[in-house]
Amino acid sequence: MNLAAAANESLAHTSNVLIYSSMAVYLLAFFAHIAEWLFGSRSKTARTAAALTADARPAAAGTGKAGSERKGGTAVLERPKIITRSAPGARDIPDGPGAAGGDEQGDLYGRIAISLTVLAWAIEAAGVVTRALSVQRAPWGNMYEFNITFSTVAVSVYLAFLLMKKKVRWLGLPLVTTVLLDLGLAVTVLYTDSDQLVPALHSYWLWIHVSTAIFCGAVFYVGAAATVLYLFRERYESKLAAGLKPGAFATSVMERLPASATLDKFGYRVNAAVFPLWTFTIIAGAIWAGDAWGRYWGWDPKEVWSFITWVAYAAYLHARATAGWKGRKAAYLALIAFGCWLFNYYGVNIFVTGKHSYAGV
């Protein structure tokens, strides 16, 4: 073995060590996020709803005071309004774990969780870069490399929102949980030794097309996570509005999430913002296919599912913009679109034979 090959093998081993190390730190961040959710303060929305309920109870015992009305000599409690938005013209309510700032212990756990997430992200990013150095190419030649890069970019998107002072600490727990699952799948099922690309992929379009695809997927994931949480939070708010009392566990979790309107708007905005880039990703892939295979579009399974994903997200955005679809119907459309992206990511690469199945796993 020559010195260059030995150096590349050493770099590949270092990359593996860094990826495993990042998983250990992500696990610590996971427990810190759990502690924040357990001990942190409730969201501003939850505290407002609780205050309204508390204010209404004394009124029910009185006669004719605010919050109650008399029907045949019996004081009837008016259902408290569940606040899901801030005042007209103001910003959305900045609530969720750590956003209210009303609990020092919860805020401390939140800051520890963010610090550990940043450290884990830096270690994982170093592992991705080291993997690239070991093969002297972009680290996107197989599913293992795609997975570790995807999770790194997903965390990068989350940290970028935090740097922009967005109140998205509620996303930390589901994000870190997903990253741990993604990396666990990568190092156990999808792991592939460092190797060179097939000749057709030696092109600068690899950097353009695949990097944008990974970034779009990371942002779509953030939008999907917000949408799933929206569905749970919206159901919780509906139960409260109907006068029902959810269970203690559901209450504890849901009251640490932002308002459903905030989650809905956040998911819509991130999906709408990245959709033009997904359009560019498909166009860039077609141009690369023309250079590599002599045709721009051949209805390869990857091309078909990329287009299906584009149509699904286009339908979601069109429904919200023109048909006025909001709430649960729009959320289901968004999750169907993300499901198409997931199948394009995993299903096509692993289970479907085509020109894009060059790397196995």
Side-chain angles (χ1 to χ4, degrees):
M1 181 182 295
N2 57 39
L3 291 177
N8 290 341
E9 184 176 343
S10 177
L11 286 170
H13 176 72
T14 302
S15 174
N16 294 340
V17 171
L18 289 170
I19 295 301
Y20 277 102
S21 299
S22 71
M23 292 176 66
V25 182
Y26 275 128
L27 184 60
L28 295 176
F30 170 80
F31 287 123
H33 279 296
I34 289 289
E36 179 189 17
W37 278 62
L38 289 175
F39 303 113
S41 60
R42 294 183 299 174
S43 69
K44 183 176 179 180
T45 301
R47 296 199 313 275
T48 303
L52 286 170
T53 304
D55 290 343
R57 283 175 186 150
T63 55
K65 293 185 179 180
S68 65
E69 60 180 354
R70 278 204 170 272
K71 291 185 178 180
T74 302
V76 179
L77 175 66
E78 289 184 350
R79 185 176 299 155
K81 181 181 180 183
I82 305 303
I83 304 298
T84 58
R85 289 183 183 273
S86 54
R91 296 175 63 87
D92 286 338
I93 297 173
D95 51 11
D103 187 290
E104 292 184 5
Q105 185 182 23
D107 186 64
L108 173 63
Y109 286 126
R111 287 186 281 113
I112 291 174
I114 296 301
S115 299
L116 288 171
T117 302
V118 171
L119 177 59
W121 167 82
I123 296 173
E124 185 184 11
V128 173
V129 172
T130 307
R131 175 79 175 198
L133 293 175
S134 72
V135 291
Q136 300 179 4
R137 58 166 172 78
W140 311 316
N142 49 61
M143 284 293 291
Y144 168 75
E145 295 174 353
F146 199 97
N147 262 42
I148 61 176
T149 304
F150 171 77
S151 57
T152 304
V153 175
V155 178
S156 301
V157 172
Y158 170 63
L159 296 178
F161 277 121
L162 290 177
L163 285 175
M164 293 187 292
K165 307 299 182 182
K166 302 298 182 180
K167 304 296 185 180
V168 294
R169 269 168 55 170
W170 49 268
L171 184 59
L173 180 59
L175 174 67
V176 169
T177 303
T178 307
V179 167
L180 280 170
L181 293 174
D182 180 75
L183 291 178
L185 181 66
V187 300
T188 55
V189 178
L190 302 177
Y191 181 77
T192 306
D193 290 329
S194 301
D195 201 359
Q196 295 302 314
L197 298 173
V198 296
L201 299 181
H202 286 284
S203 170
Y204 61 89
W205 282 106
L206 174 67
W207 293 91
I208 300 173
H209 171 64
V210 182
S211 64
T212 54
I214 292 173
F215 178 77
C216 289
V219 179
F220 282 147
Y221 161 75
V222 170
T227 301
V228 170
L229 294 176
Y230 157 77
L231 290 173
F232 284 107
R233 175 71 198 198
E234 191 275 337
R235 183 175 294 276
Y236 172 76
E237 291 177 4
S238 297
K239 288 183 177 180
L240 290 180
L244 302 177
K245 183 179 180 181
F249 177 77
T251 299
S252 177
V253 174
M254 291 298 107
E255 288 190 352
R256 286 168 171 80
L257 284 176
S260 62
T262 302
L263 291 167
D264 181 49
K265 183 181 293 186
F266 178 81
Y268 170 68
R269 285 178 173 176
V270 295
N271 286 329
V274 81
F275 179 74
L277 189 60
W278 181 247
T279 305
F280 169 78
T281 301
I282 296 176
I283 295 173
I287 296 174
W288 187 13
D291 290 343
W293 299 316
R295 87 303 185 270
Y296 294 103
W297 195 268
W299 298 104
D300 182 76
K302 176 69 73 172
E303 297 168 349
V304 170
W305 276 96
S306 295
F307 179 67
I308 290 174
T309 303
W310 184 91
V311 170
Y313 272 107
Y316 161 70
L317 297 175
H318 178 76
R320 290 206 51 147
T322 60
W325 274 32
K326 300 187 187 302
R328 301 187 72 86
K329 292 190 295 183
Y332 292 141
L333 263 181
L335 292 181
I336 289 173
F338 185 67
C340 292
W341 187 90
L342 278 181
F343 182 78
N344 190 34
Y345 177 24
Y346 286 107
V348 172
N349 284 9
I350 298 175
F351 304 113
V352 181
T353 301
K355 286 184 175 295
H356 289 80
S357 303
Y358 59 88
V361 297

